[in-house]
Amino acid sequence: MTLTMRLRAQAHIETPRLETPFHPRLAALDRVNDWYNWAGYKAPHALDDTELEYFAIRSTASLFDLSPMVKYRIEGKDAERYLNRLTLRDVSRQKTGTVQYTAWCDDAGHVLDDGTLFRLAPDVFRLCCQDRHLPWLLDSAIGFDVDIREETEEIAGLALQGPTAFATLKAAGLGNVASLRPFQITTLPAPFGDVTISRTGFTADLGYELFVPSEHALALWDLIHAAGQAYGLRAIGYDALNRARIEAGFIVAGADFIGADIALRPGRERMPDEIGLDWLVDPAKPHFNGRRAILHARRTGALKHVLVGLEIEGNVPAEGAIVYHGRSREAGVVTAAIWSPTAKRNIALASLTRPFGTEITNDLWVEIYALRELSYQKMMKRAVIVPRPFVSLPRRTANPPGLF
Amino acid sequence: MQTYDVAMIGAGHNGLVTACYLQRAGLNVIVLEKNDWVGGAATSRELTPGFLYSNCSYVCSLFRPEIMRDLELPRHGLQVIAYEGGAVLMRDGDYLASYRDHHSHRREFARFSRRDAEAYERYARDVTRQCRFIQPLLMRTAPDPFSFKPRDISELLYLARKFGEFSADEMAATLRFWTMSISDFLDEYFETDVIKAYLALSGIIGTALGPMSPGTAYVLLHHYMGEVDGSVGAWGYARGGMGAVTKALASSFQASGGVIRTGAGVEKILTRGGRAEGVVLEGGEEVRARLTVSNADVKRTFLKLVDEKDLPERFVHRVRHFKMRGSSGKVNIALDSLPEFPALPAGSTCIKGDLHFTDSVERMERAYDDWKAGRWSADPFLDMMIPTTLDPTMAPPGKHFVSTFVQYCPPKIEGRDWRDADRDGFAKTVIDQISAHSPGFRERILHMEVRTPREIEAEVGLTEGNIFQGELTFDQLLFNRPVPGYAQYRSPIHGLYMCGSSTHPGGGVMGAPGRNAAAEILRDLRRPNEHMSPAHDVI
Amino acid sequence: MTSSDTPTPAAGTCDVIVIGGGHNGLTAATVLAKAGRSVLLLEAAETLGGATRPYTFHSGFRSPGLAHLLNRLDPEVEKALGLDLTRDAALTPTTVLAPGRPAVTLRGAYGETVKGVTPEEARAFAALRRKLMFQASVLGRFLRKAPPRLDGAHLSDLLTAGGAGLKMLSHGREEARDLLRMLLTNVADVADEFLTDDRLKALLACDATLGFRLGPRSPTSLIGLYYRLTGEIGGKRGGQIPASRVAQAFEAAAHTAGVTIRTGARVAAILTERGAVTGVRLADGTTLAATSVVSALHPRTTFLDLVSPAECDTGLVRALTHYRTDGVTARIDIALDRAPVFPGAPADAATGRIVVARSLGQVEEAFNAVKYGRASEEPALEITVPTLADPDLAPAGRHTLSILAQYAPYRPREGWGTEGPAFVSRVLSLLENVSPGIGATIIAAELLTPDAMEERFDLPGGHWHHGEMQPDQLLVNRPIHALSGYRTPIDGLTLAAAGSHPGGGISGLPGLLAARTLMAGSRP
């Protein structure tokens, strides 16, 4: 960086928390002033009532600002080959105009992060993820003709999720997304410029993610927000989204697993098979990072953990609870838990120590400590391993998408 | 004449820690200090009216919280204030600031390199892993690999077990880390010179090595192992200067019935038939004690206070070749107003932390080359702090105390002793470097205290002015510190113990050597040690 | 890998392809062939020998090879290959020349006797030598075995460690303590602790740092001296003889063992698929199929140039890019029209090696320069006269001088084009100091800088040990942890040169141990 650029950038300290490009609109709608720090950005836990925001996801439509998501643009002649070596899935089979959910590992086969990989053009990709990985991405590029650039600040993103998501887009003049199937991407013109839209989301519901250059963020928001008024659209914070994602059975870095490059304590890293991502690993494709270690662990039975979905009796969320086998032997820990309003069940994600969760799947219990008015209600509740997602809605994948 | 249970030579922080624990365990302890004040290298002295100088050590982080708790130091006045990072002021007019806020820190690094900004995460992770491995060893006596005593064997097995918690990759990385130079280590993460220079400073402070010398990565760890109230790696000011640490220790000691005699320099340790029986003070007075503990460094203790013929020849040889070459100096300055640093934005918090002016590893290394040649560095590395920005007790309102740690500064000038003219030349080099970034700095100076290794040795008693009582190179750590076979605070003379920073785990205002020594002494006396709480877990 | 890369079976398929005909590649190939494998050895140059390969530096004048002394050819290697290079060889002396001071001469294995110092100093040197020899003998136990494994306790590693532990105690507890005290320290402090004579101290400083990017005051620099003292010649630790016709001897052994050798066959790629070797592709485009490939090249060449990065993990590539392998020593070959004379040195001094250095301080100051990308003002020199051992290297009556000059950076900031001529003239004036009048007898002088060594010998960084031998790049971390112990994460690909344990020098041990590891079977 030049000296002039460096000197100009000194001013960053005046705003230790960045505001996203949508912030003026979020701030205007915000009623509860409940902000948190998402990767250095000011982001809302909730703008109003979390319960109401959750039901907007499931019964009308919700608008969530996902701009702080870290985004890398990867382009060049070797981009596909590069990403095929970097990530677990076969990128050579990913078509242009589609999105892949994927994950990537270090040499030891430990997951560094999961994220979504957008193939915007044959040689142009965007990788969205929770943590920052520039040094790893750059070091992985040694020997490849590929250019990697972080573009988190340049690209603004919105998640539009819920049964009336399509109706809202249609009303906004973006009805051409009708032909978009899940995990497909399209670029559509809007009055202010192009919008890149993918049929993806973190909610297990009908939904889209919309990306524009940051300077068009407010125009995009205004377009969608106005169009959505007739369809019950509501801006939401992370707490409501988090409920939907647990129902969807999705994992989150830092909560359900720790990225191998930030884990401080020996043994805290996880292999894909240990966090339910075994289905991403493609041993038939060419070499990829961690391949040798993952296959070796599979072959020798060295896998230590497994991630499972649990249904727990009763209605008290088991967040952070210890999982037992036969009420006495520790089998693991609950990483995320809620009472699911949509499934009407008490659900949880748990990291179990094998053979619990693999060979031993019955007689599991969770010990819940519920603090109620200065007293712990201590409960031992039966837990049953159930498949994920906990909530499966036909409208998520319906083609064409429904209007309501 | 009264016979004490214990005579402690020197009232430095480690001596006082040992004395406190022993007194609390029911022994009758006298502390003998040659100066008219206590504190050793942790002092606050008023050399000009209204100003308190932290004359030697100047910041606090390593001091073990277990000791503060056991000895009730907060009740005796100790308060440590965390401070914000600081800045490196660069020759091109820019600066690299360090911020406590994670994301501001990242964005500051990203001004220079986005890659470096993100690489810091992995760097911090790797260093933290090493810290977590080392930390539990601080308050344990180092095992002797060749004694074959059950306790040493079990301690060695403990070390092996701890090491065994690592994966094979981490073990290999740990073996590398221990012997790498801080410069090579940083090269594996970062590409920006000023970022490397900023991070390298912890690898060289107090050390007679340059950033390109193998082993300096470990020295860095030594400065990262501290904490301020659970915030690992954080540094703080002791309110009232570093003397507040020893003042609180002295107060705690006296409150439990201990006796301190200042102005009582020890001339000789009394021995008879291979046993220590107390000391002879300068002037001839004898102080009899059943046990004698020396807070002085290992060279001073065994080459000056004990008759060589009372010691095994091999021991003397090893003590003589224990490396404790002074490498640093100190310039303490009273200012009539807050200095200005035009490069920093108005109202910047950086001025409350440590300020540096060395923006490349090469400049640091060249500064070290001067030291090797027996000269003070022409372009020294400075660690400058203005504690009065957070602590109003150290200077009159509006006025400031500036502590400047200077590296490198040799114990001798091209083989001869320091002269006053050298000292003045040294001070001028330092003020010139500050003034280049702070116009008008020189005009603000009301009073200045310049300490080269000569002054440090003469006043504090640290041989060759080495602030760690012995270099922290791996050949002088753990069971080798200070002398193989005598790394457990005992000495070849019965009843004579060591408790200073020459012993494991080494220098810095940490108190761990003093506490470990007290534990060993009480073990030898078969006395219960109920006033020592267990070392904190590292979870 | 594209489909056109799919290897076709070579005419006369082989069990193992060995890449690189340096002494380690030849050792590995010979050992494997003797064990009944069919081995194809591919060498890029037209002649074999690698760093032991003689080269012509001036018309009619040849150098015996980059290595001009033998001081660690391993007896096991000699036995395994049936070599006869060191048996009955007379150890040659080491002479230290410092201008204006009498010569010091060490004879026997690293100074069994020392002449030219006071009797007290000779006694002090003997005591230090005894101590260092003992310590080196303990450490040497780790050199003839593959490095220990960290993924659990393995019996053979425990036995090695246990054996070393017992050996360490064989001279009593205090000697064992001294070993742990001195192991990671620097050579300057050790020299100062035991010696007083500047010339002896300078010798130790040179011997500990020659070829390493360390100064005598750098912590861990004693390891270089230990490494030298672990080497033996004809059963004598610390001995040395001229390196003469070394390449020929290794080559003959390979031929005898039935190794198929192709010279002028540069490998352009090691072909792999999903983590396993499938063969190699030569520079001319032909591919040779093989499921077992031994690379006796520099590890960085092997993994960053020959194996596709797409077939390696990122962490491995990252670690290799940080592998420190910038050489610090230059070679100057000189053609003389008559035998050199070193006044004050014993008559046979030139049959051995002559070290030109004044003091520890001089060597340390010489080191300062290389830290900042400059060549030393006053470098330390190690000189041999190869024509005394092999007159064929020069026309009758003429001679050659081989000088190692330290320190010389891999790529100076000013460039060798600027630094080179001045450096040569500084070296020649140092030479003139100890051999007045020699300048007039010089026919030609060729400077071989580290970057030229890189070019000529395929040595990245021009580092003749294939990478710094500092503790963080030794044992389980040589060259890097993921590649330690000869096996690699690529099934069927074995490393067998100085970049692997135990490291550089003409020992043959990396080649021998790699071949043994390969024959012991691949890991799961």
Side-chain angles (χ1 to χ4, degrees), chain B residues 115 122 144-148 163 167-169 171-173 175-177 179-180 184 187-189 209 212-215 314 317-318 321-323 325 362 365-369 371-373 473-476 479-480 484-486, chain C residues 131 150-152 165 168-169 173-178 180-186 189 192-194 213-214 217-221 318-319 322-324 364-365 367-369 371-372 374 413 470-473 476-477 481-482:
Chain B
R115 180 200 171 95
R122 188 169 67 95
D144 181 343
F146 300 110
S147 80
F148 308 114
F163 192 61
S167 69
D169 290 343
M171 286 183 197
L175 293 174
R176 297 186 70 219
F177 181 84
T179 56
M180 282 180 88
D184 286 338
D187 280 345
E188 298 198 351
Y189 299 86
L209 293 173
M212 296 182 186
S213 298
R314 196 189 292 266
H317 175 88
R318 285 173 177 164
H321 293 284
F322 183 70
K323 282 170 267 182
R325 297 172 279 217
E362 180 172 329
E365 184 70 19
R366 286 183 184 274
Y368 169 60
D369 290 346
W371 179 89
K372 281 196 296 187
T473 47
F474 22 62
D475 51 312
Q476 302 199 142
F479 48 79
N480 281 334
Y486 296 97
Chain C
K131 192 179 273 287
L150 296 176
D151 56 345
M168 185 151 66
L169 286 163
R173 194 180 285 193
E174 291 308 319
E175 285 300 318
R177 289 194 156 123
D178 258 358
L180 291 192
R181 177 175 71 98
M182 292 164 67
L183 178 62
L184 293 174
T185 189
N186 68 75
D189 283 337
D192 282 339
E193 182 173 335
F194 292 90
R213 196 188 173 83
L214 290 174
R217 296 211 177 279
S218 306
T220 73
S221 60
R318 172 192 268 172
H322 294 134
Y323 182 60
R324 300 194 305 284
E364 184 68 31
E365 197 165 318
F367 169 61
N368 285 349
K371 295 189 288 190
Y372 317 119
R374 285 187 299 106
R413 286 184 190 169
Q470 294 176 31
D472 61 306
Q473 297 193 157
V476 297
N477 286 313
H481 181 56

Side-chain angles (χ1 to χ4, degrees), chain A residues 10 16 23 40 62-63 74 78 139 163 173 194 197 227 234 242 263 272 289 313-314 342 344 355 358 370 384:
Chain A
Q10 285 178 350
H23 187 78
S62 62
L63 205 50
I74 295 157
D78 287 341
D139 287 344
D194 284 351
I197 304 176
R234 184 176 192 120
N242 190 41
N289 275 337
E313 65 179 348
T342 300
K344 298 293 179 233
T358 49
V384 177

Side-chain angles (χ1 to χ4, degrees), chain C residues 263-277:
Chain C
T263 56
R266 178 173 288 277
V267 172
I270 296 171
L271 306 175
T272 61
E273 206 175 311
R274 289 186 192 82
V277 159

Side-chain angles (χ1 to χ4, degrees), chain B residues 326 335 359 421 533:
Chain B
L335 290 185
D359 53 10
S533 59

